[in-house]
Amino acid sequence: MKNPIFDIDNWKEITATLARNKTRTFLTAFGIFWGTAMLALLWGGSQGMQRMLMKNFDGFSTNSCAVFPSRTTIPYRGFKKGMWWSLTQTDIDNVRKNCPEIESSTGMLNYNATIYYNDKNYSSGGIQGVESGYADINAPVMNEGRFINDLDERGSKKVCVLGKRIAGELFGSESALGKFVLIDNIYYKVVGVASQKSQASIGRRIDESALIPLSTVRRAYNEGVKIDYFVYTTNPGVKPSSIKQTFFRTVRAMHPIHPDDEQALEMWDVSEEFEQVAAVFSGINILVLFVGLGSLLAGIIGVGNIMWIIVKERTQEIGIRRAIGAKPRDIIMQVLSESVVLTIVAGTAGICFAVLVLTAVAIGTEETGFQLQFAHAVTIMVLFLVLGTAAGTIPALKAMNIKPIEALNDK
């Protein structure tokens, strides 16, 4: 017996059978095409949307947390509620010692300031006093030079890293490295030019800031040991909020804050925001699967219907084949071949259409995440092929069970 894949007569018969009722075949094929295209578009589109959103956080640590002081809400040690207080360098040193779960951290101070270079100035930004650990939390893109290091912090050096926008306004195409800028009557040497990759930030954006060692800023503005807020990341697998109680207990020991006053020290756990985003996309992925599989199922039902009708129309023909010696396997292979061919042709067209649409969206949005991965395309095709074959199995079994004498008497 010839292999049906290499049997030219078999292929001619499949083509003739499907072409016998062009409208019916077209509508069935369109159902498969649309189901495949919808599943591929939804799959690739959801991945692209997720990538677009997460791109806003590129370079920003997802397990970071910011802690900042607020008014007290409970009277304590002779102090009325509503008292303002400040975090200090001593506080964060104690926290670092008592919380080994902290991986990277920085204290921060923010000020509005106009930055001058010769006769040019930039007044829309400001300065941020930071420590070297800042680069591990909100990774800067270093366009020139270097970032602030521990030696700058320990020596309270008058150096700064300029944001790219500020450097562009003050220096144009000229390199800013080694130049001195004037900020509040103090000259700072530019050791680097940086920009920010992510849209998320704690404090000012890097592009619009002059980043200066924290100790230098405290000395320049006579702030003693004060910091505005403290930002840290934890070791892999440790949630930032897990050290909350140790953190708060350490800080309260140095300030007149009631042990039950939870609002005097506020914590913004960025990892919780990312978990919420991840939960939203998990829901979207489930919806995509539900809608896509629904479209797929509609196409498969169409395949089953057309094969059932074809078997009904060809009852006498199948009976004659059985009468002249065709084996049940031959009948099953013939019916299933028609189902598989229809599924492969229409399914491939649907995937190609989805790829073209996703490519157009990727070009329009300049986001490469809008694409259907090859593994996903193969998964969709295999799934459609398996279900399409399954849909043709029942009609094929019916055809196999047709008795020659009954088929010849069928009208």
Side-chain angles (χ1 to χ4, degrees):
M1 176 184 172
K2 289 184 179 180
N3 189 319
I5 297 177
F6 302 105
D7 188 348
I8 300 298
D9 292 334
N10 182 57
W11 284 103
K12 287 181 179 179
E13 186 173 352
I14 290 173
T15 304
T17 301
L18 295 176
R20 192 172 299 163
N21 192 323
K22 295 182 177 62
T23 302
R24 183 177 63 200
T25 301
F26 170 78
L27 291 176
T28 304
F30 183 78
I32 300 171
F33 164 86
W34 189 247
T36 311
M38 282 295 292
L39 182 55
L41 283 170
L42 288 169
W43 202 342
S46 67
Q47 295 297 314
M49 288 295 294
Q50 185 169 357
R51 177 59 192 149
M52 278 187 69
L53 180 60
M54 296 309 294
K55 191 176 181 179
N56 294 328
F57 301 98
D58 283 351
F60 191 82
S61 180
T62 59
N63 68 327
S64 59
C65 185
V67 182
F68 45 93
S70 184
R71 287 178 180 269
T72 60
T73 58
I74 302 175
Y76 191 59
R77 292 182 184 173
F79 292 91
K80 296 181 179 180
K81 69 176 183 179
M83 176 191 70
W84 281 109
W85 65 283
S86 299
L87 284 169
T88 67
Q89 185 65 43
T90 303
D91 291 331
I92 64 175
D93 289 341
N94 289 338
V95 165
R96 286 166 176 157
K97 182 174 63 176
N98 294 336
C99 301
E101 299 89 348
I102 292 178
E103 183 178 39
S104 299
S105 61
T106 178
M108 296 186 68
L109 279 169
N110 287 331
Y111 292 94
N112 294 322
T114 300
I115 303 167
Y116 297 89
Y117 177 71
N118 293 337
D119 58 342
K120 297 180 180 179
N121 69 81
Y122 188 89
S123 59
S124 300
I127 65 173
Q128 292 194 92
V130 299
E131 298 172 280
S132 59
Y134 177 89
D136 298 323
I137 300 168
N138 189 13
V141 177
M142 296 307 301
N143 305 111
E144 286 187 282
R146 64 172 178 84
F147 196 69
I148 292 166
N149 57 37
D150 292 333
L151 289 177
D152 298 327
E153 173 66 18
R154 286 198 294 267
S156 299
K157 293 184 179 180
K158 295 177 182 177
V159 296
C160 72
V161 174
L162 283 184
K164 185 178 180 180
R165 182 172 298 178
I166 299 176
E169 290 285 338
L170 298 182
F171 299 95
S173 58
E174 180 185 357
S175 174
L177 291 184
K179 304 295 194 309
F180 286 84
V181 294
L182 181 65
I183 307 174
D184 286 340
N185 297 318
I186 298 175
Y187 283 96
Y188 297 89
K189 184 179 180 179
V190 179
V191 295
V193 175
S195 56
Q196 185 165 315
K197 184 187 300 184
S198 70
Q199 295 299 316
S201 63
I202 296 178
R204 296 180 181 276
R205 288 185 56 80
I206 294 175
D207 302 69
E208 300 173 347
S209 300
L211 300 171
I212 300 172
L214 179 61
S215 60
T216 306
V217 173
R218 280 205 299 261
R219 181 172 295 182
Y221 290 90
N222 196 27
E223 291 289 5
V225 293
K226 173 191 172 183
I227 63 171
D228 286 336
Y229 45 92
F230 179 65
V231 187
Y232 68 92
T233 61
T234 48
N235 295 318
V238 180
K239 293 190 65 174
S241 58
S242 67
I243 66 172
K244 180 178 179 179
Q245 294 305 319
T246 303
F247 194 117
F248 283 21
R249 185 170 58 251
T250 301
V251 172
R252 286 194 189 102
M254 303 297 295
H255 299 273
I257 302 173
H258 195 282
D260 297 329
D261 193 348
E262 295 290 336
Q263 297 181 33
L265 192 60
E266 298 187 17
M267 177 177 283
W268 177 42
D269 188 347
V270 178
S271 66
E272 293 180 354
E273 306 291 334
F274 279 94
E275 288 177 359
Q276 291 177 9
V277 171
V280 169
F281 274 104
S282 295
I284 291 175
N285 289 334
I286 292 173
L287 179 62
V288 164
L289 258 174
F290 181 78
V291 175
L293 290 176
S295 300
L296 182 150
L297 185 60
I300 295 304
I301 290 173
V303 173
N305 285 338
I306 190 174
M307 299 316 300
W308 191 273
I309 294 171
I310 287 174
V311 168
K312 181 65 178 176
E313 290 178 346
R314 298 172 63 189
T315 298
Q316 286 190 340
E317 176 190 334
I318 292 171
I320 293 172
R321 288 191 177 192
R322 293 293 307 278
I324 62 177
K327 297 179 180 179
R329 182 182 64 182
D330 300 333
I331 303 300
I332 291 176
M333 287 301 298
Q334 180 64 34
V335 176
L336 285 181
S337 295
E338 295 166 5
S339 167
V340 169
V341 166
L342 193 61
T343 301
I344 290 177
V345 172
T348 303
I351 288 178
C352 291
F353 173 76
V355 169
L356 289 175
V357 172
L358 290 171
T359 300
V361 173
I363 293 172
T365 60
E366 298 182 353
E367 173 52 61
T368 57
F370 285 99
Q371 57 182 325
L372 184 66
Q373 297 180 18
F374 180 75
H376 294 169
V378 171
T379 300
I380 293 172
M381 275 306 302
V382 170
L383 184 61
F384 244 105
L385 190 58
V386 170
L387 292 179
T389 302
T393 300
I394 296 178
L397 293 174
K398 181 180 184 300
M400 180 192 69
N401 292 325
I402 293 175
K403 296 179 181 179
I405 190 65
E406 294 176 358
L408 293 174
N409 291 329
D410 186 72
K411 295 183 180 179

